[in-house]
Each structure stands twice: as C-alpha cells, then as structure tokens.
mmCIF file of all heavy atoms in Angstrom:
data_model
loop_
_atom_site.group_PDB
_atom_site.id
_atom_site.type_symbol
_atom_site.label_atom_id
_atom_site.label_comp_id
_atom_site.label_asym_id
_atom_site.label_seq_id
_atom_site.Cartn_x
_atom_site.Cartn_y
_atom_site.Cartn_z
ATOM 1 N N TYR V 1 31.640 18.604 -37.947
ATOM 2 C CA TYR V 1 31.672 19.986 -37.470
ATOM 3 C C TYR V 1 31.115 20.202 -36.067
ATOM 4 O O TYR V 1 31.698 20.910 -35.265
ATOM 5 C CB TYR V 1 30.926 20.877 -38.474
ATOM 6 C CG TYR V 1 30.973 22.333 -38.109
ATOM 7 C CD1 TYR V 1 32.164 23.043 -38.198
ATOM 8 C CD2 TYR V 1 29.836 22.997 -37.659
ATOM 9 C CE1 TYR V 1 32.221 24.380 -37.856
ATOM 10 C CE2 TYR V 1 29.889 24.324 -37.320
ATOM 11 C CZ TYR V 1 31.073 25.015 -37.422
ATOM 12 O OH TYR V 1 31.133 26.329 -37.076
ATOM 13 N N TYR V 2 29.971 19.593 -35.738
ATOM 14 C CA TYR V 2 29.323 19.877 -34.450
ATOM 15 C C TYR V 2 29.803 18.979 -33.306
ATOM 16 O O TYR V 2 29.257 19.017 -32.211
ATOM 17 C CB TYR V 2 27.799 19.748 -34.586
ATOM 18 C CG TYR V 2 27.193 20.832 -35.445
ATOM 19 C CD1 TYR V 2 26.664 20.535 -36.687
ATOM 20 C CD2 TYR V 2 27.174 22.158 -35.014
ATOM 21 C CE1 TYR V 2 26.125 21.529 -37.493
ATOM 22 C CE2 TYR V 2 26.640 23.162 -35.813
ATOM 23 C CZ TYR V 2 26.116 22.840 -37.051
ATOM 24 O OH TYR V 2 25.587 23.831 -37.830
ATOM 25 N N ALA V 3 30.824 18.184 -33.555
ATOM 26 C CA ALA V 3 31.277 17.214 -32.553
ATOM 27 C C ALA V 3 31.654 17.865 -31.232
ATOM 28 O O ALA V 3 31.294 17.391 -30.155
ATOM 29 C CB ALA V 3 32.467 16.433 -33.094
ATOM 30 N N LEU V 4 32.361 18.984 -31.293
ATOM 31 C CA LEU V 4 32.880 19.607 -30.072
ATOM 32 C C LEU V 4 31.771 20.203 -29.222
ATOM 33 O O LEU V 4 31.855 20.219 -27.998
ATOM 34 C CB LEU V 4 33.912 20.679 -30.422
ATOM 35 C CG LEU V 4 35.140 20.147 -31.160
ATOM 36 C CD1 LEU V 4 36.047 21.281 -31.592
ATOM 37 C CD2 LEU V 4 35.897 19.167 -30.293
ATOM 38 N N GLU V 5 30.725 20.662 -29.902
ATOM 39 C CA GLU V 5 29.569 21.228 -29.191
ATOM 40 C C GLU V 5 28.957 20.170 -28.266
ATOM 41 O O GLU V 5 28.712 20.401 -27.086
ATOM 42 C CB GLU V 5 28.534 21.663 -30.237
ATOM 43 C CG GLU V 5 27.619 22.766 -29.796
ATOM 44 C CD GLU V 5 26.758 23.224 -30.965
ATOM 45 O OE1 GLU V 5 25.738 22.569 -31.221
ATOM 46 O OE2 GLU V 5 27.122 24.211 -31.633
ATOM 47 N N GLY V 6 28.730 18.982 -28.791
ATOM 48 C CA GLY V 6 28.150 17.893 -28.009
ATOM 49 C C GLY V 6 29.078 17.427 -26.902
ATOM 50 O O GLY V 6 28.627 17.045 -25.826
ATOM 51 N N LEU V 7 30.383 17.486 -27.164
ATOM 52 C CA LEU V 7 31.353 17.021 -26.178
ATOM 53 C C LEU V 7 31.345 17.901 -24.924
ATOM 54 O O LEU V 7 31.373 17.398 -23.805
ATOM 55 C CB LEU V 7 32.755 16.989 -26.791
ATOM 56 C CG LEU V 7 33.875 16.531 -25.867
ATOM 57 C CD1 LEU V 7 33.637 15.104 -25.392
ATOM 58 C CD2 LEU V 7 35.232 16.632 -26.562
ATOM 59 N N THR V 8 31.306 19.200 -25.122
ATOM 60 C CA THR V 8 31.281 20.135 -23.985
ATOM 61 C C THR V 8 30.078 19.854 -23.090
ATOM 62 O O THR V 8 30.186 19.796 -21.863
ATOM 63 C CB THR V 8 31.219 21.592 -24.489
ATOM 64 O OG1 THR V 8 32.317 21.805 -25.371
ATOM 65 C CG2 THR V 8 31.294 22.585 -23.355
ATOM 66 N N GLN V 9 28.934 19.671 -23.721
ATOM 67 C CA GLN V 9 27.687 19.389 -22.994
ATOM 68 C C GLN V 9 27.819 18.091 -22.188
ATOM 69 O O GLN V 9 27.447 18.024 -21.012
ATOM 70 C CB GLN V 9 26.567 19.262 -24.031
ATOM 71 C CG GLN V 9 25.176 19.417 -23.476
ATOM 72 C CD GLN V 9 24.139 19.280 -24.590
ATOM 73 O OE1 GLN V 9 24.445 18.960 -25.729
ATOM 74 N NE2 GLN V 9 22.888 19.523 -24.249
ATOM 75 N N LEU V 10 28.387 17.059 -22.832
ATOM 76 C CA LEU V 10 28.533 15.767 -22.166
ATOM 77 C C LEU V 10 29.507 15.844 -20.992
ATOM 78 O O LEU V 10 29.252 15.279 -19.925
ATOM 79 C CB LEU V 10 29.000 14.710 -23.172
ATOM 80 C CG LEU V 10 29.180 13.295 -22.612
ATOM 81 C CD1 LEU V 10 27.866 12.752 -22.064
ATOM 82 C CD2 LEU V 10 29.732 12.359 -23.677
ATOM 83 N N MET V 11 30.602 16.557 -21.160
ATOM 84 C CA MET V 11 31.584 16.692 -20.070
ATOM 85 C C MET V 11 30.960 17.385 -18.859
ATOM 86 O O MET V 11 31.227 17.030 -17.711
ATOM 87 C CB MET V 11 32.821 17.456 -20.545
ATOM 88 C CG MET V 11 33.593 16.764 -21.654
ATOM 89 S SD MET V 11 34.096 15.084 -21.281
ATOM 90 C CE MET V 11 35.447 15.387 -20.186
ATOM 91 N N ASN V 12 30.109 18.365 -19.118
ATOM 92 C CA ASN V 12 29.402 19.046 -18.018
ATOM 93 C C ASN V 12 28.470 18.081 -17.291
ATOM 94 O O ASN V 12 28.373 18.094 -16.059
ATOM 95 C CB ASN V 12 28.598 20.243 -18.551
ATOM 96 C CG ASN V 12 29.503 21.369 -19.005
ATOM 97 O OD1 ASN V 12 30.644 21.463 -18.562
ATOM 98 N ND2 ASN V 12 29.002 22.231 -19.879
ATOM 99 N N THR V 13 27.777 17.252 -18.054
ATOM 100 C CA THR V 13 26.877 16.247 -17.463
ATOM 101 C C THR V 13 27.655 15.266 -16.599
ATOM 102 O O THR V 13 27.254 14.956 -15.470
ATOM 103 C CB THR V 13 26.141 15.473 -18.588
ATOM 104 O OG1 THR V 13 25.325 16.390 -19.309
ATOM 105 C CG2 THR V 13 25.281 14.367 -18.022
ATOM 106 N N ILE V 14 28.769 14.771 -17.127
ATOM 107 C CA ILE V 14 29.592 13.807 -16.373
ATOM 108 C C ILE V 14 30.083 14.441 -15.073
ATOM 109 O O ILE V 14 30.053 13.811 -14.010
ATOM 110 C CB ILE V 14 30.764 13.303 -17.241
ATOM 111 C CG1 ILE V 14 30.229 12.437 -18.387
ATOM 112 C CG2 ILE V 14 31.771 12.512 -16.398
ATOM 113 C CD1 ILE V 14 31.249 12.117 -19.464
ATOM 114 N N ALA V 15 30.499 15.698 -15.145
ATOM 115 C CA ALA V 15 30.984 16.399 -13.941
ATOM 116 C C ALA V 15 29.877 16.509 -12.893
ATOM 117 O O ALA V 15 30.114 16.322 -11.696
ATOM 118 C CB ALA V 15 31.503 17.782 -14.323
ATOM 119 N N ARG V 16 28.653 16.774 -13.334
ATOM 120 C CA ARG V 16 27.527 16.877 -12.399
ATOM 121 C C ARG V 16 27.226 15.529 -11.757
ATOM 122 O O ARG V 16 26.954 15.441 -10.556
ATOM 123 C CB ARG V 16 26.274 17.413 -13.107
ATOM 124 C CG ARG V 16 26.300 18.910 -13.366
ATOM 125 C CD ARG V 16 24.896 19.460 -13.608
ATOM 126 N NE ARG V 16 24.223 18.840 -14.729
ATOM 127 C CZ ARG V 16 24.352 19.227 -15.991
ATOM 128 N NH1 ARG V 16 25.162 20.227 -16.302
ATOM 129 N NH2 ARG V 16 23.705 18.617 -16.954
ATOM 130 N N VAL V 17 27.266 14.469 -12.550
ATOM 131 C CA VAL V 17 27.023 13.119 -12.020
ATOM 132 C C VAL V 17 28.124 12.751 -11.015
ATOM 133 O O VAL V 17 27.845 12.181 -9.960
ATOM 134 C CB VAL V 17 26.957 12.078 -13.169
ATOM 135 C CG1 VAL V 17 26.941 10.652 -12.625
ATOM 136 C CG2 VAL V 17 25.705 12.310 -14.022
ATOM 137 N N GLN V 18 29.364 13.097 -11.332
ATOM 138 C CA GLN V 18 30.480 12.819 -10.406
ATOM 139 C C GLN V 18 30.265 13.524 -9.066
ATOM 140 O O GLN V 18 30.501 12.948 -8.005
ATOM 141 C CB GLN V 18 31.808 13.285 -11.022
ATOM 142 C CG GLN V 18 32.327 12.383 -12.131
ATOM 143 C CD GLN V 18 33.479 13.024 -12.896
ATOM 144 O OE1 GLN V 18 33.528 14.248 -13.073
ATOM 145 N NE2 GLN V 18 34.415 12.208 -13.349
ATOM 146 N N ARG V 19 29.798 14.767 -9.128
ATOM 147 C CA ARG V 19 29.620 15.561 -7.897
ATOM 148 C C ARG V 19 28.464 15.055 -7.049
ATOM 149 O O ARG V 19 28.550 14.993 -5.833
ATOM 150 C CB ARG V 19 29.370 17.042 -8.239
ATOM 151 C CG ARG V 19 30.600 17.827 -8.605
ATOM 152 C CD ARG V 19 30.338 19.322 -8.532
ATOM 153 N NE ARG V 19 29.157 19.741 -9.263
ATOM 154 C CZ ARG V 19 29.167 20.050 -10.562
ATOM 155 N NH1 ARG V 19 30.282 19.972 -11.256
ATOM 156 N NH2 ARG V 19 28.056 20.441 -11.164
ATOM 157 N N LYS V 20 27.366 14.680 -7.696
ATOM 158 C CA LYS V 20 26.132 14.444 -6.950
ATOM 159 C C LYS V 20 25.714 12.979 -6.815
ATOM 160 O O LYS V 20 25.012 12.613 -5.876
ATOM 161 C CB LYS V 20 24.987 15.230 -7.595
ATOM 162 C CG LYS V 20 25.179 16.743 -7.529
ATOM 163 C CD LYS V 20 24.044 17.469 -8.226
ATOM 164 C CE LYS V 20 24.222 18.979 -8.198
ATOM 165 N NZ LYS V 20 24.192 19.537 -6.862
ATOM 166 N N LEU V 21 26.091 12.124 -7.771
ATOM 167 C CA LEU V 21 25.513 10.777 -7.809
ATOM 168 C C LEU V 21 26.526 9.635 -7.819
ATOM 169 O O LEU V 21 26.280 8.577 -7.245
ATOM 170 C CB LEU V 21 24.602 10.640 -9.047
ATOM 171 C CG LEU V 21 23.382 11.563 -9.099
ATOM 172 C CD1 LEU V 21 22.779 11.547 -10.496
ATOM 173 C CD2 LEU V 21 22.346 11.155 -8.067
ATOM 174 N N ASN V 22 27.651 9.803 -8.516
ATOM 175 C CA ASN V 22 28.604 8.694 -8.664
ATOM 176 C C ASN V 22 30.035 9.244 -8.689
ATOM 177 O O ASN V 22 30.632 9.424 -9.753
ATOM 178 C CB ASN V 22 28.310 7.919 -9.957
ATOM 179 C CG ASN V 22 29.223 6.711 -10.129
ATOM 180 O OD1 ASN V 22 30.026 6.382 -9.257
ATOM 181 N ND2 ASN V 22 29.116 6.042 -11.270
ATOM 182 N N PRO V 23 30.603 9.483 -7.506
ATOM 183 C CA PRO V 23 31.928 10.099 -7.439
ATOM 184 C C PRO V 23 33.056 9.256 -8.031
ATOM 185 O O PRO V 23 34.114 9.773 -8.361
ATOM 186 C CB PRO V 23 32.153 10.317 -5.933
ATOM 187 C CG PRO V 23 31.147 9.467 -5.244
ATOM 188 C CD PRO V 23 30.003 9.286 -6.179
ATOM 189 N N ARG V 24 32.826 7.947 -8.230
ATOM 190 C CA ARG V 24 33.904 7.106 -8.771
ATOM 191 C C ARG V 24 33.910 7.060 -10.303
ATOM 192 O O ARG V 24 34.779 6.424 -10.918
ATOM 193 C CB ARG V 24 33.815 5.684 -8.204
ATOM 194 C CG ARG V 24 32.561 4.953 -8.579
ATOM 195 C CD ARG V 24 32.364 3.659 -7.802
ATOM 196 N NE ARG V 24 31.055 3.101 -8.070
ATOM 197 C CZ ARG V 24 30.747 2.379 -9.138
ATOM 198 N NH1 ARG V 24 31.662 2.110 -10.045
ATOM 199 N NH2 ARG V 24 29.525 1.906 -9.311
ATOM 200 N N LEU V 25 32.969 7.739 -10.925
ATOM 201 C CA LEU V 25 32.885 7.745 -12.394
ATOM 202 C C LEU V 25 34.078 8.488 -13.007
ATOM 203 O O LEU V 25 34.415 9.580 -12.582
ATOM 204 C CB LEU V 25 31.579 8.428 -12.822
ATOM 205 C CG LEU V 25 31.229 8.379 -14.315
ATOM 206 C CD1 LEU V 25 30.912 6.954 -14.757
ATOM 207 C CD2 LEU V 25 30.040 9.302 -14.612
ATOM 208 N N VAL V 26 34.710 7.868 -14.013
ATOM 209 C CA VAL V 26 35.831 8.511 -14.703
ATOM 210 C C VAL V 26 35.598 8.460 -16.216
ATOM 211 O O VAL V 26 34.716 7.745 -16.693
ATOM 212 C CB VAL V 26 37.190 7.832 -14.363
ATOM 213 C CG1 VAL V 26 37.497 7.955 -12.886
ATOM 214 C CG2 VAL V 26 37.198 6.364 -14.802
ATOM 215 N N ILE V 27 36.420 9.208 -16.942
ATOM 216 C CA ILE V 27 36.371 9.142 -18.405
ATOM 217 C C ILE V 27 37.187 7.943 -18.851
ATOM 218 O O ILE V 27 38.383 7.867 -18.588
ATOM 219 C CB ILE V 27 36.957 10.426 -19.049
ATOM 220 C CG1 ILE V 27 36.275 11.692 -18.520
ATOM 221 C CG2 ILE V 27 36.862 10.342 -20.580
ATOM 222 C CD1 ILE V 27 34.854 11.860 -18.936
ATOM 223 N N GLU V 28 36.549 6.995 -19.502
ATOM 224 C CA GLU V 28 37.256 5.837 -20.069
ATOM 225 C C GLU V 28 38.118 6.295 -21.235
ATOM 226 O O GLU V 28 39.266 5.898 -21.374
ATOM 227 C CB GLU V 28 36.231 4.792 -20.539
ATOM 228 C CG GLU V 28 36.816 3.596 -21.253
ATOM 229 C CD GLU V 28 37.594 2.690 -20.315
ATOM 230 O OE1 GLU V 28 37.252 2.587 -19.128
ATOM 231 O OE2 GLU V 28 38.571 2.099 -20.792
ATOM 232 N N GLY V 29 37.522 7.132 -22.079
ATOM 233 C CA GLY V 29 38.265 7.656 -23.221
ATOM 234 C C GLY V 29 37.330 8.137 -24.316
ATOM 235 O O GLY V 29 36.131 7.863 -24.308
ATOM 236 N N VAL V 30 37.910 8.882 -25.240
ATOM 237 C CA VAL V 30 37.197 9.359 -26.427
ATOM 238 C C VAL V 30 37.632 8.500 -27.606
ATOM 239 O O VAL V 30 38.827 8.244 -27.792
ATOM 240 C CB VAL V 30 37.530 10.843 -26.704
ATOM 241 C CG1 VAL V 30 37.030 11.271 -28.078
ATOM 242 C CG2 VAL V 30 36.940 11.735 -25.621
ATOM 243 N N VAL V 31 36.657 8.029 -28.380
ATOM 244 C CA VAL V 31 36.948 7.265 -29.602
ATOM 245 C C VAL V 31 36.459 8.077 -30.793
ATOM 246 O O VAL V 31 35.277 8.444 -30.852
ATOM 247 C CB VAL V 31 36.223 5.894 -29.603
ATOM 248 C CG1 VAL V 31 36.468 5.176 -30.918
ATOM 249 C CG2 VAL V 31 36.691 5.039 -28.456
ATOM 250 N N PHE V 32 37.348 8.352 -31.715
ATOM 251 C CA PHE V 32 36.963 9.084 -32.927
ATOM 252 C C PHE V 32 36.359 8.112 -33.926
ATOM 253 O O PHE V 32 36.937 7.056 -34.211
ATOM 254 C CB PHE V 32 38.182 9.782 -33.543
ATOM 255 C CG PHE V 32 38.782 10.826 -32.645
ATOM 256 C CD1 PHE V 32 39.971 10.585 -31.975
ATOM 257 C CD2 PHE V 32 38.147 12.041 -32.446
ATOM 258 C CE1 PHE V 32 40.523 11.535 -31.132
ATOM 259 C CE2 PHE V 32 38.689 12.997 -31.595
ATOM 260 C CZ PHE V 32 39.879 12.745 -30.940
ATOM 261 N N THR V 33 35.182 8.466 -34.455
ATOM 262 C CA THR V 33 34.481 7.597 -35.400
ATOM 263 C C THR V 33 34.235 8.331 -36.720
ATOM 264 O O THR V 33 34.318 9.555 -36.778
ATOM 265 C CB THR V 33 33.117 7.149 -34.830
ATOM 266 O OG1 THR V 33 32.292 8.309 -34.651
ATOM 267 C CG2 THR V 33 33.278 6.436 -33.493
ATOM 268 N N MET V 34 33.931 7.548 -37.753
ATOM 269 C CA MET V 34 33.582 8.090 -39.079
ATOM 270 C C MET V 34 34.663 9.030 -39.599
ATOM 271 O O MET V 34 34.379 10.067 -40.188
ATOM 272 C CB MET V 34 32.216 8.797 -39.031
ATOM 273 C CG MET V 34 31.114 7.906 -38.509
ATOM 274 S SD MET V 34 29.518 8.749 -38.481
ATOM 275 C CE MET V 34 28.713 7.872 -37.148
ATOM 276 N N TYR V 35 35.917 8.655 -39.355
ATOM 277 C CA TYR V 35 37.052 9.476 -39.785
ATOM 278 C C TYR V 35 37.247 9.326 -41.283
ATOM 279 O O TYR V 35 37.338 8.224 -41.812
ATOM 280 C CB TYR V 35 38.319 9.032 -39.038
ATOM 281 C CG TYR V 35 39.530 9.871 -39.346
ATOM 282 C CD1 TYR V 35 39.811 11.018 -38.604
ATOM 283 C CD2 TYR V 35 40.403 9.528 -40.379
ATOM 284 C CE1 TYR V 35 40.928 11.793 -38.875
ATOM 285 C CE2 TYR V 35 41.526 10.292 -40.660
ATOM 286 C CZ TYR V 35 41.773 11.425 -39.900
ATOM 287 O OH TYR V 35 42.881 12.205 -40.177
ATOM 288 N N ASP V 36 37.310 10.452 -41.968
ATOM 289 C CA ASP V 36 37.517 10.453 -43.418
ATOM 290 C C ASP V 36 38.863 11.115 -43.699
ATOM 291 O O ASP V 36 39.003 12.329 -43.571
ATOM 292 C CB ASP V 36 36.382 11.216 -44.109
ATOM 293 C CG ASP V 36 36.432 11.079 -45.632
ATOM 294 O OD1 ASP V 36 37.500 10.713 -46.162
ATOM 295 O OD2 ASP V 36 35.411 11.346 -46.291
ATOM 296 N N SER V 37 39.834 10.324 -44.076
ATOM 297 C CA SER V 37 41.201 10.841 -44.262
ATOM 298 C C SER V 37 41.303 11.803 -45.444
ATOM 299 O O SER V 37 42.301 12.510 -45.592
ATOM 300 C CB SER V 37 42.179 9.680 -44.459
ATOM 301 O OG SER V 37 41.764 8.876 -45.551
ATOM 302 N N ARG V 38 40.257 11.858 -46.284
ATOM 303 C CA ARG V 38 40.302 12.759 -47.440
ATOM 304 C C ARG V 38 39.942 14.198 -47.083
ATOM 305 O O ARG V 38 40.103 15.092 -47.894
ATOM 306 C CB ARG V 38 39.330 12.262 -48.528
ATOM 307 C CG ARG V 38 39.680 10.883 -49.081
ATOM 308 C CD ARG V 38 38.538 10.325 -49.890
ATOM 309 N NE ARG V 38 37.318 10.244 -49.090
ATOM 310 C CZ ARG V 38 36.144 9.833 -49.560
ATOM 311 N NH1 ARG V 38 36.040 9.468 -50.825
ATOM 312 N NH2 ARG V 38 35.091 9.791 -48.776
ATOM 313 N N THR V 39 39.410 14.409 -45.870
ATOM 314 C CA THR V 39 38.975 15.763 -45.510
ATOM 315 C C THR V 39 39.854 16.361 -44.415
ATOM 316 O O THR V 39 40.323 15.672 -43.516
ATOM 317 C CB THR V 39 37.513 15.758 -44.995
ATOM 318 O OG1 THR V 39 37.480 15.077 -43.734
ATOM 319 C CG2 THR V 39 36.578 15.070 -45.966
#
C-alpha cells in the first residue's frame, strides 16, 4: 500500500541530486518485489 508514497519522495531526492551534485545520474529502473499474485 505505501509503496507509491516512498517512490515520490525518492524521485524528488534524485531530482535534487541531479540538479546540484551529479547531473549524469539517471533512473536505472524500478523493480517490483514481494509480488503476491493472489492479491
């Protein structure tokens, strides 16, 4: 349930790092974990 909340926060952090500290940083990708096909 709370996955998206943490993602928004992290994307903001990455954007700040790109602007101020490491402009070559990119998103490698999102990996979904602990997937339960029954839910």
Side-chain angles (χ1 to χ4, degrees):
Y1 183 70
Y2 292 111
L4 298 174
E5 206 173 83
L7 180 61
T8 305
Q9 199 180 7
L10 181 61
M11 297 305 284
N12 290 337
T13 297
I14 292 168
R16 283 200 301 274
V17 170
Q18 285 168 327
R19 282 196 309 273
K20 296 178 181 296
L21 297 167
N22 183 5
R24 63 191 172 81
L25 187 67
V26 298
I27 306 291
E28 175 70 32
V30 168
V31 176
F32 297 105
T33 63
M34 305 181 208
Y35 184 89
D36 188 341
S37 56
R38 298 167 302 178
T39 68

